[in-house]
Amino acid sequence: MSNLSTRTLRVTVPHAIRSKITGGGQNARHEKIKAILGELFRHERIEGYIRTHDETRQYAERLIELAKKYGDQHVGTMQLMDYWVNDKDLIHKVFKVYVPRYTNTIGPYTNSYRLPIKYGEFKFPHIPRQNIVLEMKDNPYPRIIPDPRNYSNILTNVLLNEARKEYRTERNNRNEKKDK
Amino acid sequence: MALSFSTTNKFLLNNQQILRSVLILSVRYKQRGHIADHLVEHHRQSPLGKLKNGAAVDAFPPKDDTTKDLRTTPHDFKYVYPDFLPNPIPYLRDRILEKLERKDMFRRRQQIDIPEFYVGSILAVTSADPYAPNRRHRFVGICIQRERHGLKHQFTLRNIVDGLGVEISYELYNPTITKIEVLKLERRLDENLAYLRDAPPEYCTFPFDMEPVKLPPGAGVPLNTIQVPITSTHWQYKWERHDLKGILLPSLPRSVRKAAERFGEPWRQWDIMRQYRTEIHDDDKAEIYEDIEKHKEDLAQYRIDSKENVKITRARPKAAGRKAILDNSNRSNMSTSK
């Protein structure tokens, strides 16, 4: 397991590991990360507390880098997947869906966006928490931050383009008639 | 906050390690590359940083992963050249320093042949000693550990001389080392053989006139799966806690065994992000390996032999020779005067 190495992750990896994201010791921490990993791989877009989810993001990126580099026939990688992914059909998904999706890209393979902190709505223990949205890239849902640049398919532009084409052809016809 | 230092003694208990690391951290944090917030903001707003024809969502178009200039390193690179790997702690890295050190390491490797060896190999190191006969001191021993990074890379040889255990730590790139011979090239099951101090003496006694063991050409590095019994009554460290594969522990009381299980932290071998923080990644390794390959080509072209191999013809006579000439001239003067 310690022999497996990958490129530098293209996600911020703070030097200090967040070793206390939940009570119960390191085993509980691993269980928490496994749970969030499972949700992320299954639903492709999840929301949650930044401390736990940012930590899980690093693990997700590393797992996908390892899967990309070593493939599903490599014993060490499969053992790691078996440990970190509780639902075994998600291991299948990682190799059959995510690896082909991300073969021609370099990381990061996840996006994280900060959600607004809802002041006035929090319950016990009255401490507002920063939540984030973690999503796999190129997921089938509509974008969180909409792409404002591609306006060519909106109705106004489609009609305008057609009108422009029509005007040009008519003008060319008129010019040809004049020449004749 | 758990800090990992590759240079600290990993057999020490955790709280000692944390105390030391807190001291070092408080000194280092201010020194390294800290830029004031207002400067960061200024550079963030500068027009040079703005993207031209920028995409809205993705900052950069994804590069093709299958480019030809994707460098690869052989799997065993980090085992053959551990001295070239830098310190994995990010705030202790200085890439310019690493490049310059690597240059110096290659220059030293032109002077003497630094062979490939592993922890568990038996080496003979000849170093320059002004007070020894022939000005050379030769020591034979088994390599028990390899530490530090870059030019500071050290290895420790252990042997038992006249019934006394002796360990000598050499810096690999020390210019006073004139020769490093590998008498027996092999690997052991652990990366640190400090437990040999608590083992019977026959496991680390090697004769100084040991003949080099020749391996057949093209053979890999043999793995010695020997299990060394720990027979000393007082152990230097708690060997049962460190998952050492090359030792044979005596029967231990139940409490000790239970404590060892708890200390073992079975989750640690699976924690990929902790491992990530303690290793050098593929892109850095590829860059280093490229430099090493270039150095090997250069080495083939020009090789400067060390003093041991080349007979030096002296342009000036040595001090003793000069004295003899003086005496001769005095005697001849005296004879002429007579």
Side-chain angles (χ1 to χ4, degrees):
Chain A
M1 254 62 71
S2 54
N3 290 341
L4 307 183
S5 67
T6 57
R7 268 191 294 241
T8 317
L9 291 183
R10 293 180 66 86
V11 183
T12 313
V13 176
H15 174 63
I17 196 168
R18 294 184 184 94
S19 58
K20 273 203 89 170
I21 55 176
T22 183
Q26 297 303 308
N27 284 315
R29 176 176 173 272
H30 276 212
E31 295 302 316
K32 181 81 184 172
I33 291 173
K34 282 187 215 177
I36 300 172
L37 264 180
E39 284 173 26
L40 175 65
F41 285 151
R42 185 174 296 289
H43 300 125
E44 300 201 32
R45 185 182 283 177
I46 56 172
E47 290 176 19
Y49 185 30
I50 189 172
R51 225 205 275 173
T52 50
H53 286 240
D54 192 67
E55 198 68 8
T56 316
R57 187 184 181 201
Q58 299 166 29
Y59 284 83
E61 293 274 334
R62 178 99 162 133
L63 282 174
I64 293 178
E65 286 269 22
L66 285 167
K68 269 176 72 171
K69 181 175 171 188
Y70 291 104
D72 59 352
Q73 299 303 316
H74 188 254
V75 175
T77 317
M78 286 311 278
Q79 284 176 335
L80 271 176
M81 289 292 175
D82 180 50
Y83 178 82
W84 283 107
V85 184
N86 280 336
D87 302 329
K88 306 309 167 191
D89 57 322
L90 288 177
I91 304 177
H92 190 82
K93 184 175 182 184
V94 166
F95 285 108
K96 297 294 184 211
V97 174
Y98 292 135
V99 168
R101 199 197 277 184
Y102 302 128
T103 36
N104 289 330
T105 59
I106 51 176
Y109 311 112
T110 52
N111 280 331
S112 81
Y113 304 100
R114 292 195 174 204
L115 290 171
I117 300 174
K118 296 178 194 150
Y119 296 102
E121 245 190 57
F122 42 83
K123 305 170 273 259
F124 179 86
H126 313 293
I127 297 165
R129 282 187 159 188
Q130 170 68 72
N131 284 348
I132 60 168
V133 177
L134 252 190
E135 61 158 11
M136 304 299 295
K137 264 197 177 160
D138 297 333
N139 60 56
Y141 307 122
R143 288 185 184 216
I144 291 176
I145 297 176
D147 179 16
R149 300 188 63 78
N150 190 5
Y151 297 134
S152 52
N153 287 336
I154 66 174
L155 184 62
T156 327
N157 282 339
V158 167
L159 295 172
L160 276 174
N161 286 337
E162 289 303 313
R164 202 179 295 129
K165 277 189 213 164
E166 215 181 283
Y167 172 74
R168 285 226 184 88
T169 47
E170 269 188 42
R171 191 184 57 184
N172 290 343
N173 292 344
R174 260 187 281 123
N175 287 344
E176 281 171 17
K177 274 192 195 160
K178 268 193 193 165
D179 292 339
K180 282 178 185 169
Chain B
M1 182 158 105
L3 296 164
S4 58
F5 281 79
S6 47
T7 51
T8 48
N9 187 342
K10 59 182 178 181
F11 296 125
L12 281 176
L13 298 175
N14 264 336
N15 49 4
Q16 289 167 314
Q17 216 168 353
I18 288 168
L19 267 171
R20 260 200 220 167
S21 50
V22 163
L23 279 170
I24 296 169
L25 178 65
S26 56
V27 168
R28 283 277 178 193
Y29 190 76
K30 282 294 173 188
Q31 291 173 354
R32 285 272 153 192
H34 182 67
I35 306 177
D37 288 340
H38 64 272
L39 268 179
V40 173
E41 195 57 41
H42 167 72
H43 288 297
R44 215 174 65 79
Q45 306 288 359
S46 93
L48 291 173
K50 292 273 184 275
L51 296 163
K52 295 167 194 155
N53 315 319
V57 181
D58 300 296
F60 303 99
K63 270 188 274 185
D64 186 12
D65 208 1
T66 55
T67 45
K68 281 293 181 287
D69 54 66
L70 192 72
R71 300 168 290 194
T72 50
T73 54
H75 170 69
D76 56 352
F77 159 66
K78 71 172 178 179
Y79 304 112
V80 180
Y81 301 107
D83 37 334
F84 285 98
L85 293 176
N87 201 331
I89 299 165
Y91 61 81
L92 291 178
R93 288 200 63 174
D94 186 344
R95 283 180 170 76
I96 295 176
L97 190 72
E98 284 158 28
K99 189 89 182 179
L100 293 172
E101 280 201 353
R102 238 178 287 148
K103 227 170 130 182
D104 281 344
M105 284 151 81
F106 293 141
R107 284 180 68 194
R108 178 65 189 159
R109 277 172 180 259
Q110 287 168 22
Q111 300 292 324
I112 72 164
D113 173 41
I114 292 178
E116 171 196 348
F117 65 96
Y118 301 89
V119 168
S121 315
I122 298 161
L123 306 185
V125 172
T126 317
S127 56
D129 183 1
Y131 308 108
N134 294 331
R135 312 253 188 263
R136 293 289 179 265
H137 172 252
R138 185 168 183 267
F139 187 73
V140 168
I142 182 169
C143 176
I144 58 172
Q145 61 186 17
R146 295 183 73 162
E147 308 175 290
R148 317 296 295 273
H149 310 276
L151 272 175
K152 299 190 279 284
H153 187 78
Q154 297 166 3
F155 62 99
T156 311
L157 299 182
R158 178 178 171 80
N159 204 341
I160 297 191
V161 177
D162 293 342
L164 181 71
V166 177
E167 287 183 14
I168 303 189
S169 240
Y170 292 101
E171 281 188 355
L172 197 56
Y173 293 94
N174 189 340
T176 57
I177 292 179
T178 51
K179 201 171 191 189
I180 305 176
E181 303 162 73
V182 176
L183 298 175
K184 190 173 188 190
L185 177 67
E186 63 177 11
R187 291 180 294 138
R188 290 285 186 104
L189 291 167
D190 305 307
E191 280 310 307
N192 193 320
L193 304 180
Y195 55 76
L196 289 175
R197 296 170 194 154
D198 291 329
E202 56 262 24
Y203 289 93
C204 24
T205 319
F206 304 99
F208 271 59
D209 53 1
M210 186 170 162
E211 291 294 323
V213 170
K214 288 204 176 120
L215 291 169
V221 178
L223 176 71
N224 190 348
T225 53
I226 190 171
Q227 300 254 291
V228 173
I230 311 290
T231 52
S232 156
T233 41
H234 299 290
W235 299 357
Q236 189 180 22
Y237 299 113
K238 299 180 177 167
W239 304 121
E240 77 276 7
R241 293 191 174 189
H242 295 283
D243 189 31
L244 293 163
K245 308 242 172 12
I247 60 172
L248 204 61
L249 290 164
S251 56
L252 298 164
R254 190 171 172 279
S255 59
V256 171
R257 273 184 281 122
K258 286 291 166 193
E261 269 174 38
R262 266 183 286 118
F263 189 85
E265 296 171 336
W267 46 266
R268 192 174 278 275
Q269 54 166 325
W270 300 108
D271 202 329
I272 42 182
M273 286 318 295
R274 277 179 212 270
Q275 283 159 20
Y276 177 84
R277 287 167 168 93
T278 61
E279 67 185 16
I280 303 299
H281 311 298
D282 286 355
D283 34 5
D284 289 326
K285 273 204 266 193
E287 197 191 311
I288 298 168
Y289 191 67
E290 222 177 62
D291 280 345
I292 293 179
E293 288 295 288
K294 184 170 178 304
H295 156 71
K296 280 191 186 159
E297 285 168 17
D298 292 344
L299 203 63
Q301 280 183 13
Y302 55 85
R303 183 74 197 245
I304 305 160
D305 290 331
S306 79
K307 258 188 191 178
E308 311 284 275
N309 300 333
V310 170
K311 247 184 148 44
I312 292 181
T313 50
R314 295 195 170 278
R316 288 185 319 164
K318 262 175 126 173
R322 258 183 264 133
K323 188 162 171 286
I325 291 169
L326 262 169
D327 286 340
N328 250 344
S329 58
N330 279 346
R331 245 179 272 129
S332 57
N333 281 346
M334 280 159 70
S335 58
T336 49
S337 67
K338 283 175 189 168

